Amino acid sequence: NSSSRRCLPAVSTRRIRCPNRSHPQPAYSCTGGSNGDDAWATRMWNTMRARSRQRSARAFHSSSNAASEGGSATPTSGGGIMVASGHPSSHPQVLVVPLNRRPLMPGVIMPVRVMDERLIQEIEEMKARGQAYVGTFLKRTEGESENVDPSDDMHDIGTFAQVQSVIRIPDISADTLKDEDDKASSGDDKVDVKAKAEARVRAAKGEDGGGGATLLLLGHRRLRKTATVRHQPMVVQVDHIKDPKVADRDDDDVLKATANEVIATIKDLLKVNPLAKETLQYFAQRFQDFQDPAKLADLAASMCSADDGALQEILDTLDVRERLQAALVLLKKEVELGKLQADIGRRVEEKISGDQRRYFLMEQLKSIKKELGMERDDKTALQEKFREKFAPFKDGAPAHAVKTIDEELNKLAGLEPSSSEFNVTRNYLEWLTSIPWGHSSEERLDISQAADVLDADHYGLEDVKERILEFIAVGQLRGTTQGKIITMVGPPGVGKTSIGQSIARALDRKFFRFSVGGLSDVAEIKGHRRTYVGAMPGKLVQCLKSTGVSNPVVLIDEVDKLGRGFQGDPASALLELLDPEQNGSFLDHYLDVPVDLSKVLFVCTANVLDTIPGPLLDRMEVVRLSGYIADEKRAIARTYLEKTAKERSGVGEKEASISDAAMNSLIEDYCREAGVRNLQKHLEKIYRKVALKLAKAKGPEASKKMGQARNKVAAAKKALEAKEDELKKVNASAKSKKTVEDAEKEVEDAKEALAAAEAAVIEVIESTAVSDPIVVDAGKDLIEYVGQPPFQTDRIYDQTPPGVVTGLAWTSMGGSTLYIECTAIHQNGTDKKGGTLTTTGQLGDVMKESSSIAHTFARSFLARRFPGNTFFDDNALHIHVPAGATPKDGPSAGCTMITGMISLATDRPVKPNLAMTGEVTLTGIVMPIGGVKEKTIAARRSGVTTILFPEGNKKDWDELSDDIKDGLEVHFVSTYDEVYKHALSAE
């Protein structure tokens, strides 16, 4: 009875649109295509609108055919027709439309992309004959199919669907290939072979942007495929599955409650996903009954964006209760997903709207301030900033600097902020206005106060201290000071770098240090050109900016280790910097404006002078630091190093100590170098081990108290520095007398607070001190702390035999004794060869030449003094200088080698405890040598009591302090005859 059936409502194709991929897929989703591409949506619906009227006549004819098959039809608003159902008996076999994505649910309309041309043609023939019905089956994922039958690639349960329309999509690739073929046949050489090949590949793979057709399918009921009838295109035998009747549906409270929950969840989904509204409207128009559980379950599943497997499970589920439960689960997940999506969108929108609101308000604020004259634009504000920075230095700046800054400010005013030149000019002005043009800090020209500062920081170093006091005295008499270039040369660890900081403190100047060891780029000294990206001025301009004064103390460390690379020679760049006649107008490559460095006090440090280029060394005033003798090391250790080591280790003043014997052993047997750096390391090592013992004895509670006390000291020091800086600012700004007095009182209070905090630290140390202090003594006790001594003694011989003489050598670590061993080479037989000389001991070229000179002179001297002695004619000699692994070079061992040969030839030992040094010419003249202080220190350390020095070194000996010369007998010789007299003569 046709009246008992409801006609399918008209559905306008204008209401069907492709949803945004970011939202869950509704019933009219662009899914199920053979390749999953959704780009066809716009073209499809536009084509449907254009062809709708053309299909109207054919649709009316199709209506009668559909009615004859047992279904009622209603014309649509677009002129088409939608048939409610085809009778199962009329369709035992159906044409298969495979689905790659999302199964088609009964009661749902869905577009499907098809690329199989034979399948499309057959469907179009069916449409031409009347209504077309097909079976849609979702393809299995890889690994699910057994591949026994081609239909096994698809799930068994599918959907019986009516083909609403077939829309051809233009084949773009085919058009491209046709155009290319036409160009090739016409002889056009401009054929894009690559594009043609790509188009053919896309066409073969079905990955192009066109071709095939889009089917608009309406699902009716479930199908189960039973057998494959045909493969291309596929036709399968099917069983039509009807939804089972639910007995006493109105009385089934659980099912009814589930259905109501599904309806309520759908309402919640509509709040968070408006795209589901169209699916619900279509369902209401077609069924008008939300209480049918089977249809409601299919509706709920179609509104979800679940994965294909979950939707296929619902399609496979025939039990209405289970299907409704599964659909409710998916629907709940969809609601939660929609809420999360809405929350993310709301947060992003709030952030964007908040930023936009702030931006608009800031722009309005700028406009209001600009109208009121309260603020100018960024470029004007930048110009004002630079003018304010330069104002304190403008009076003392040279005319060329003022002119350059004014020109750059005018240039900046005409540039757009977005241009690259704007940033270059801004950075250039930043540096130009940061330099303290003509601004010098007030110096302390008090000689006695400067001497106290230098003595408090360093022991000894009288040469350096005297030179600094001379500098202060000249400045005091002239009323002004000028820069100088002082170079301190000496072995490592003698205090070259630290004396620079003491000089700055003594003069009350700002201090800046940079090392040029290994420096190979001239730009580090003279800056980069402004045309380079990331260009910066050189170190001296950076020094002026960081110190804020034009007369700092600049320490150039390791000047003897300058490198040289393809970027230039930094040593040559230092010539202008360290020349008093040139650095008054030092030209930095970046600034390109002369800068006055004549008031800067340059202090350079070096270990040796040999590697410093001659022109650069000529500009330096050299002050030598020879190193420390044992007495000086002992005083330095007790006065400075031991105290510092205790503070760094947290050991109290009375908790531990080192005995005098242990200190002497530490200096003589462990730390023989000229400096005191190694001695400092050993003292710190000792007190670290002492701290370990004390910590075990005191426990963790003492550590907590000490930490709190030291934190208070650090805070007090920081507060004192802040108050002192504030006082300097107050004094410079010429405030009232009361303001200055208040600032001075705050400084005094900060000093008292610091003293109280330091006293608290001492109190904590004393309160937690152990009862028995730890005393480190010499011998096994010292070995326990620092290990076995690396040096036992420099003396190899208590009494040197004939042929062995003690010499003195200079090293970068100070001085050392050097033994010269000479012996005759034993020869068998009567044919003995004499007059030859062999040298070993890793001697340098200069020292080998000295040995040859010594051998020649020794033969002539022996022949003159002892005419009958033919030792050198009869014997070949071998000279060795221990230790063999240490390289040795220099001419000062000449007299020592001659003495060793003469001693061997005359079989007379050298007088005990005697050492000598000096270069000897072929005529026997003894030439002066260097390193007198270091060699004298080495002689004292080795127990030498008599030293032979060249006559030319008498002035160097006279400059030595009395404590170094004490206990030594020194003879100055000018010829080797005098050396022989003091060393070998029996007179």
Side-chain angles (χ1 to χ4, degrees):
N1 187 4
S2 60
S3 61
S4 62
R5 303 189 198 136
R6 293 175 181 169
C7 294
L8 186 67
V11 179
S12 173
T13 59
R14 293 184 178 89
R15 296 176 52 204
I16 304 175
R17 61 177 181 267
C18 181
N20 191 318
R21 289 179 182 267
S22 63
H23 296 286
Q25 298 285 354
Y28 303 103
S29 61
C30 304
T31 56
S34 60
N35 62 354
D37 187 10
D38 296 338
W40 44 265
T42 305
R43 294 196 303 271
M44 180 183 72
W45 302 123
N46 291 338
T47 306
M48 287 180 63
R49 294 189 187 99
R51 297 183 180 178
S52 59
R53 293 186 179 181
Q54 298 176 5
R55 296 179 180 270
S56 59
R58 187 172 58 190
F60 282 115
H61 291 292
S62 300
S63 175
S64 59
N65 294 334
S68 64
E69 291 179 6
S72 60
T74 301
T76 67
S77 61
I81 190 166
M82 300 181 71
V83 178
S85 175
H87 197 276
S89 60
S90 302
H91 302 281
Q93 299 176 357
V94 294
L95 188 65
V96 174
V97 175
L99 303 179
N100 289 336
R101 294 176 54 197
R102 290 183 65 91
L104 176 65
M105 305 301 292
V108 176
I109 189 169
M110 185 175 74
V112 177
R113 178 80 176 275
V114 178
M115 300 300 296
D116 191 346
E117 188 61 31
R118 287 175 291 182
L119 176 60
I120 297 171
Q121 291 178 359
E122 190 160 341
I123 292 175
E124 287 180 337
E125 292 175 0
M126 293 170 61
K127 288 289 290 181
R129 294 193 302 267
Q131 288 297 322
Y133 292 91
V134 295
T136 62
F137 295 90
L138 179 66
K139 286 186 177 181
R140 298 179 185 271
T141 57
E142 295 182 3
E144 293 185 4
S145 175
E146 298 178 0
N147 294 324
V148 177
D149 191 291
S151 64
D152 290 342
D153 291 338
M154 296 175 287
H155 289 273
D156 294 335
I157 302 298
T159 304
F160 182 68
Q162 175 190 355
V163 181
Q164 296 293 107
S165 62
V166 181
I167 304 170
R168 286 280 187 175
I169 298 176
D171 192 347
I172 301 175
S173 297
D175 295 341
T176 302
L177 294 174
K178 184 176 182 301
D179 293 342
E180 298 294 346
D181 292 337
D182 292 343
K183 289 181 181 179
S185 61
S186 63
D188 190 355
D189 294 337
K190 299 180 180 179
V191 179
D192 192 344
V193 179
K194 184 178 179 181
K196 182 177 180 180
E198 291 178 353
R200 292 187 185 277
V201 172
R202 290 196 303 269
K205 293 184 177 181
E207 297 176 353
D208 49 40
T214 298
L215 311 180
L216 192 61
L217 304 181
L218 172 64
H220 284 291
R221 52 180 171 269
R222 286 169 172 76
L223 294 176
R224 177 184 288 110
K225 60 182 175 63
T226 57
T228 303
V229 178
R230 189 178 68 192
H231 291 167
Q232 294 294 336
M234 185 177 292
V235 177
V236 295
Q237 191 83 22
V238 296
D239 292 338
H240 293 259
I241 303 174
K242 293 184 178 180
D243 292 328
K245 298 287 185 179
V246 181
D248 299 327
R249 185 180 63 185
D250 295 337
D251 298 333
D252 192 342
D253 294 337
V254 175
L255 187 62
K256 185 175 181 180
T258 305
N260 290 338
E261 182 62 22
V262 169
I263 294 172
T265 307
I266 290 176
K267 292 179 181 180
D268 295 337
L269 180 61
L270 292 177
K271 298 177 182 178
V272 296
N273 185 11
L275 293 175
K277 184 178 180 181
E278 296 181 0
T279 304
L280 189 64
Q281 288 178 346
Y282 171 73
F283 182 84
Q285 291 175 2
R286 184 169 184 264
F287 298 105
Q288 299 178 0
D289 184 10
F290 284 94
Q291 298 303 318
D292 187 344
K295 294 182 175 59
L296 192 60
D298 293 337
L299 169 68
S302 67
M303 298 175 71
C304 298
S305 60
D307 58 88
D308 301 342
L311 296 177
Q312 182 63 38
E313 288 182 3
I314 292 181
L315 189 65
D316 293 342
T317 304
L318 302 181
D319 185 84
V320 176
R321 291 181 178 83
E322 295 179 3
R323 190 192 309 169
L324 198 61
Q325 287 286 350
L328 180 59
V329 172
L330 294 182
L331 207 58
K332 290 288 186 181
K333 291 181 180 179
E334 196 69 23
V335 172
E336 294 300 322
L337 182 63
K339 290 180 179 179
L340 180 60
Q341 180 179 348
D343 182 58
I344 294 174
R346 184 176 63 255
R347 282 184 291 174
V348 173
E349 185 178 355
E350 288 176 355
K351 185 178 185 302
I352 294 175
S353 60
D355 293 342
Q356 289 178 342
R357 182 171 179 271
R358 178 177 177 80
Y359 173 76
F360 291 140
L361 290 176
M362 290 300 295
E363 290 298 320
Q364 292 176 4
L365 182 61
K366 288 181 181 179
S367 300
I368 293 172
K369 287 186 175 181
K370 191 173 181 180
E371 290 294 331
L372 295 176
M374 298 172 61
E375 183 177 319
R376 301 182 181 181
D377 57 6
D378 294 339
K379 190 161 57 175
T380 306
L382 197 61
Q383 289 177 294
E384 292 297 329
K385 169 192 169 185
F386 288 140
R387 294 186 189 278
E388 291 176 2
K389 285 181 63 177
F390 183 58
F393 311 127
K394 189 171 184 179
D395 294 337
H400 58 265
V402 177
K403 179 181 177 182
T404 302
I405 292 175
D406 290 339
E407 290 176 353
E408 292 297 323
L409 286 172
N410 295 332
K411 178 182 176 182
L412 185 71
L415 293 173
E416 288 296 328
S418 58
S419 67
S420 59
E421 186 66 21
F422 182 86
N423 291 327
V424 174
T425 305
R426 182 186 62 187
N427 292 337
Y428 184 42
L429 281 169
E430 184 74 35
W431 282 102
L432 280 176
T433 56
S434 298
I435 295 177
W437 300 99
H439 174 67
S440 301
S441 61
E442 185 177 352
E443 292 182 295
R444 181 193 294 135
L445 298 178
D446 189 339
I447 296 177
S448 60
Q449 194 172 4
D452 292 339
V453 172
L454 294 174
D455 291 337
D457 291 346
H458 291 82
Y459 182 87
L461 302 180
E462 300 300 332
D463 294 343
V464 180
K465 295 178 180 178
E466 185 178 357
R467 181 63 188 87
I468 299 304
L469 296 179
E470 291 172 0
F471 176 79
I472 296 175
V474 172
Q476 184 175 342
L477 295 177
R478 295 182 70 244
T480 181
T481 59
Q482 293 295 320
K484 289 292 181 181
I485 298 95
I486 300 174
T487 301
M488 293 180 291
V489 181
V494 296
K496 298 185 299 297
T497 302
S498 59
I499 195 66
Q501 297 178 349
S502 298
I503 292 172
R505 287 185 58 235
L507 297 173
D508 197 18
R509 287 193 181 190
K510 297 285 187 179
F511 179 74
F512 183 83
R513 173 192 173 273
F514 71 97
S515 176
V516 294
L519 187 69
S520 60
D521 191 356
V522 174
E524 292 290 332
I525 306 296
K526 301 203 67 174
H528 304 85
R529 301 287 182 186
R530 291 199 305 276
T531 53
Y532 296 132
V533 177
M536 289 184 63
K539 287 291 186 182
L540 269 299
V541 176
Q542 297 178 33
C543 161
L544 296 180
K545 179 182 178 181
S546 62
T547 58
V549 293
S550 61
N551 62 337
V553 175
V554 177
L555 179 69
I556 304 178
D557 218 353
E558 310 295 349
V559 75
D560 59 327
K561 300 175 181 63
L562 276 169
R564 184 170 185 175
F566 64 89
Q567 299 96 340
D569 184 10
S572 300
L574 286 176
L575 293 177
E576 179 186 1
L577 179 66
L578 299 180
D579 191 346
E581 304 298 327
Q582 298 183 46
N583 60 15
S585 57
F586 177 74
L587 189 64
D588 186 89
H589 289 162
Y590 182 85
L591 293 184
D592 206 20
V593 176
V595 181
D596 184 10
L597 299 178
S598 61
K599 295 183 179 180
V600 177
L601 176 58
F602 291 100
V603 179
C604 304
T605 67
N607 295 125
V608 292
L609 295 177
D610 302 341
T611 56
I612 302 177
L616 182 60
L617 186 61
D618 183 61
R619 289 161 168 80
M620 299 176 177
E621 182 179 347
V622 178
V623 178
R624 292 186 177 273
L625 306 179
S626 301
Y628 303 104
I629 61 175
D631 294 338
E632 291 176 332
K633 285 185 177 181
R634 189 179 302 107
I636 292 172
R638 292 297 189 187
T639 308
Y640 305 101
L641 303 183
E642 188 176 12
K643 180 180 179 182
T644 304
K646 284 185 177 181
E647 291 179 356
R648 292 180 178 177
S649 303
V651 178
E653 183 66 29
K654 299 179 181 179
E655 288 185 307
S657 62
I658 299 176
S659 66
D660 292 339
M663 186 66 73
N664 293 335
S665 177
L666 200 63
I667 294 171
E668 296 291 340
D669 300 334
Y670 291 86
C671 310
R672 287 187 179 178
E673 70 283 346
V676 293
R677 185 174 294 137
N678 194 32
L679 179 59
Q680 179 183 6
K681 292 178 181 177
H682 278 76
L683 290 174
E684 290 177 352
K685 184 176 182 180
I686 291 174
Y687 281 107
R688 282 199 305 268
K689 293 183 179 295
V690 170
L692 177 61
K693 293 182 179 181
L694 293 176
K696 290 180 179 179
K698 293 180 179 181
E701 188 64 29
S703 174
K704 185 177 179 181
K705 293 180 180 179
M706 180 59 67
Q708 294 174 351
R710 292 196 181 276
N711 289 338
K712 292 181 180 178
V713 171
K717 286 182 179 179
K718 189 174 181 181
L720 177 59
E721 292 175 359
K723 296 299 181 183
E724 288 177 345
D725 292 340
E726 185 178 349
L727 177 60
K728 290 181 180 179
K729 293 179 181 178
V730 170
N731 289 328
S733 59
K735 298 285 185 181
S736 63
K737 184 177 180 181
K738 186 177 183 307
T739 305
V740 175
E741 291 177 353
D742 292 342
E744 291 176 348
K745 186 177 184 304
E746 291 179 355
V747 171
E748 293 298 327
D749 293 342
K751 289 180 179 179
E752 292 177 0
L754 177 60
E758 291 175 346
V761 171
I762 297 175
E763 183 179 351
V764 171
I765 293 175
E766 292 177 351
S767 63
T768 58
V770 295
S771 56
D772 297 328
I774 298 175
V775 179
V776 180
D777 204 352
K780 293 183 179 179
D781 199 10
L782 184 62
I783 293 174
E784 179 187 350
Y785 284 93
V786 292
Q788 294 291 339
F791 306 107
Q792 294 295 336
T793 178
D794 275 349
R795 298 192 63 149
I796 301 177
Y797 302 95
D798 292 332
Q799 173 63 44
T800 56
V804 179
V805 184
T806 304
L808 298 174
W810 177 93
T811 66
S812 61
M813 300 294 291
S816 66
T817 55
L818 194 70
Y819 285 95
I820 304 295
E821 299 178 339
C822 181
T823 185
I825 301 175
H826 178 70
Q827 301 181 59
N828 294 322
T830 58
D831 187 15
K832 297 182 180 180
K833 297 181 181 179
T836 60
L837 178 67
T838 302
T839 58
T840 56
Q842 203 170 348
L843 307 184
D845 293 337
V846 177
M847 202 165 184
K848 288 179 180 178
E849 291 178 356
S850 295
S851 65
S852 299
I853 295 171
H855 187 216
T856 301
F857 179 79
R859 296 185 66 172
S860 63
F861 181 83
L862 186 66
R864 178 164 48 87
R865 277 295 185 105
F866 304 97
N869 193 329
T870 60
F871 180 82
F872 292 124
D873 296 331
D874 300 335
N875 295 278
L877 300 184
H878 184 177
I879 289 181
H880 176 67
V881 185
T886 305
K888 308 166 192 72
D889 204 1
S892 62
C895 65
T896 313
M897 291 181 178
I898 295 173
T899 304
M901 295 178 189
I902 299 298
S903 171
L904 182 65
T906 58
D907 197 23
R908 294 180 183 178
V910 178
K911 293 179 179 179
N913 298 326
L914 182 142
M916 64 185 68
T917 179
E919 179 183 358
V920 180
T921 67
L922 279 172
T923 59
I925 298 175
V926 180
M927 305 287 289
I929 45 84
V932 172
K933 181 178 180 180
E934 290 86 350
K935 293 178 179 181
T936 305
I937 294 172
R940 286 177 58 88
R941 186 170 60 238
S942 298
V944 173
T945 57
T946 305
I947 303 177
L948 302 183
F949 278 129
E951 184 70 30
N953 293 112
K954 187 174 183 180
K955 61 182 187 306
D956 301 319
W957 172 264
D958 293 337
E959 292 179 356
L960 298 180
S961 59
D962 293 337
D963 54 348
I964 296 178
K965 296 186 290 185
D966 186 32
L968 292 176
E969 179 184 352
V970 178
H971 301 284
F972 297 98
V973 296
S974 57
T975 63
Y976 185 76
D977 290 338
E978 298 178 28
V979 175
Y980 177 80
K981 175 183 176 183
H982 293 292
L984 294 171
S985 177
E987 298 178 3

